[in-house]
Amino acid sequence: MNIVCLDMEGVLVPEIWIAFSEASGIPELRRTTRDEPDYDKLMTWRLGILKEHGLGLKEIQDTIAKIDPLPGAKAFLDELRATTQVIILSDTFEEFAKPLMEKLGWPTIFCNSLEVAENGEITGYKMRCGKSKLTTVKALQSIGYDTIASGDSFNDLGMIQASKAGFLFKSTEQIKADHPEIPAFEEFDDLLAAIKAAL
């Protein structure tokens, strides 16, 4: 019984915060989990910048509506889902993910949720659980699944290392250098072949 756990941003779709940084002209918002391993610190910092600039959920959703999956991502996901069970494990939020899930054919996603005021200001966020990717992989293993995981950032390393097979995909040179034991791929065909070989 196998289940594949995939990160979303940087693996299947472009990084939402980088796209919003470009759309809003605020370069500080380019920071992601590739740059900052502490997610709470990163999100608190982001919310402060949004407040400072008077930006809220609507502005981010307007940017997300224009984002398309990475070239080849939907075909990769379609073939993978025809082969085995797949769950996307993301530190993003339901309020951001929905239009992207539609473009990917509605795969299952486990993510978090935002706290939004009536005026659209993002006032906080609610994490589904601590270390959500690793916690979810361990929970799946506890109910009889072998997990295979792939991601690109610091926050994916736990689920990759805890799985029976794990792969970096479109990761940074630094993360690849720090973890030479994890096979790293840049193309969907190569990642698909590696996952199929691990099934």
Side-chain angles (χ1 to χ4, degrees), residues 23-42:
S24 63
I26 304 171
E28 298 94 321
L29 288 174
R30 288 186 66 85
R31 281 180 71 78
T32 70
T33 50
R34 290 173 167 216
D35 312 299
E36 174 54 71
D38 185 330
Y39 192 75
D40 284 323
K41 185 174 167 186
L42 180 63

Side-chain angles (χ1 to χ4, degrees), residues 16-61:
I16 289 169
W17 288 97
I18 290 177
F20 187 63
S21 165
E22 289 166 4
S24 63
I26 304 171
E28 298 94 321
L29 288 174
R30 288 186 66 85
R31 281 180 71 78
T32 70
T33 50
R34 290 173 167 216
D35 312 299
E36 174 54 71
D38 185 330
Y39 192 75
D40 284 323
K41 185 174 167 186
L42 180 63
M43 272 308 297
T44 302
W45 184 77
R46 285 168 170 168
L47 295 185
I49 292 173
L50 293 178
K51 189 171 178 65
E52 184 185 320
H53 290 270
L55 297 168
L57 181 58
K58 182 188 183 303
E59 289 80 9
I60 300 175
Q61 286 179 328

Side-chain angles (χ1 to χ4, degrees), residues 3 19 47 75 81 91-92 126 133 150 177 186 199:
I3 195 159
L47 295 185
R81 290 170 71 198
D91 280 336
T92 194
K126 187 170 180 355
K133 297 180 183 191
S150 182
E186 299 297 321
L199 287 172

Side-chain angles (χ1 to χ4, degrees), residues 92-125:
T92 194
F93 305 96
E94 292 172 356
E95 296 83 355
F96 291 179
K98 193 173 178 184
L100 297 167
M101 292 305 97
E102 183 175 7
K103 290 177 182 179
L104 287 168
W106 299 112
T108 299
I109 181 168
F110 290 1
C111 60
N112 305 303
S113 60
L114 291 169
E115 295 165 356
V116 184
E118 282 191 17
N119 66 358
E121 180 189 342
I122 302 171
T123 56
Y125 56 96

Side-chain angles (χ1 to χ4, degrees), residues 63-77:
T63 297
I64 292 169
K66 301 183 185 106
I67 295 175
D68 285 320
L70 294 172
K74 185 170 186 307
F76 160 78
L77 201 52

